[in-house]
Amino acid sequence: MLEQACPILPSRDFDVTEAFYRKLGFEAFRHEDQYLIVNRDRIELHFFPYAAHSPETCNHGAYLRPADVDAISSEVAALDLSSTDGVPRFAPAEDKPWGMREAVIWDPDGNLLRIGTEIAHG
C-alpha cells in the first residue's frame, strides 16, 4: 500500500530554498550541498542542486492536500508574497471548477505548489 510521495524539485541555492520553506513552517535537513529535504506534518519535499535552473521556465511542481486549505492560505498570505509576477509568488485559495478549493505557491525557483482540498458537495 502506498502512503506518501515525495517530489524531487530543483534548487539554485539551498540557502534561499531552505529560508523560504522555513517561513512556510517547514523544517529542513541537508546532506551537505548535495540534497535538501523540507518537511511539515506529513508533507516532504526533496531538492537537488541545479545552479543553472531557470525559474522562468520551470516545469516542476507538486500537489499538496492539507486538511484545511484556507488555514494554509491565510498563513501564506501573511508573508506578503506578490500575487502577480515574479517568484516567489502566491495566489490565495479559491474554488475551482474541477471541484477543488486551491491556493498556489511558486517558490523562489519557480516550482509550483498547488495546495487543495475537495469542495464539500451537499
Side-chain angles (χ1 to χ4, degrees):
M1 172 191 266
L2 300 175
E3 294 191 21
Q4 187 177 18
C6 302
I8 304 172
L9 307 169
S11 170
R12 292 173 297 160
D13 182 322
F14 281 172
D15 289 335
V16 172
T17 300
E18 181 177 338
F20 178 78
Y21 282 93
R22 283 189 183 277
K23 287 180 186 176
L24 296 176
F26 284 77
E27 294 181 13
F29 306 93
R30 272 198 217 192
H31 178 65
E32 300 168 359
D33 284 331
Q34 298 174 25
Y35 209 72
L36 170 66
I37 298 172
V38 299
N39 69 342
R40 177 178 170 174
D41 303 320
R42 295 198 48 176
I43 299 299
E44 192 172 289
L45 304 172
H46 295 210
F47 294 89
F48 62 94
Y50 187 19
H53 173 70
S54 171
E56 297 80 20
T57 60
C58 183
N59 61 2
H60 293 79
Y63 200 102
L64 311 180
R65 307 273 311 250
D68 185 350
V69 69
D70 290 305
I72 298 294
S73 185
S74 293
E75 284 180 36
V76 178
L79 299 177
D80 291 326
L81 300 175
S82 172
S83 62
T84 56
D85 43 67
V87 293
R89 73 180 185 271
F90 166 68
E94 65 181 14
D95 292 349
K96 300 295 186 179
W98 47 87
M100 299 295 288
R101 182 161 180 77
E102 291 180 353
V104 183
I105 299 171
W106 291 266
D107 77 5
D109 290 295
N111 295 305
L112 172 69
L113 301 178
R114 287 196 184 273
I115 305 161
T117 55
E118 290 182 42
I119 297 170
H121 300 285

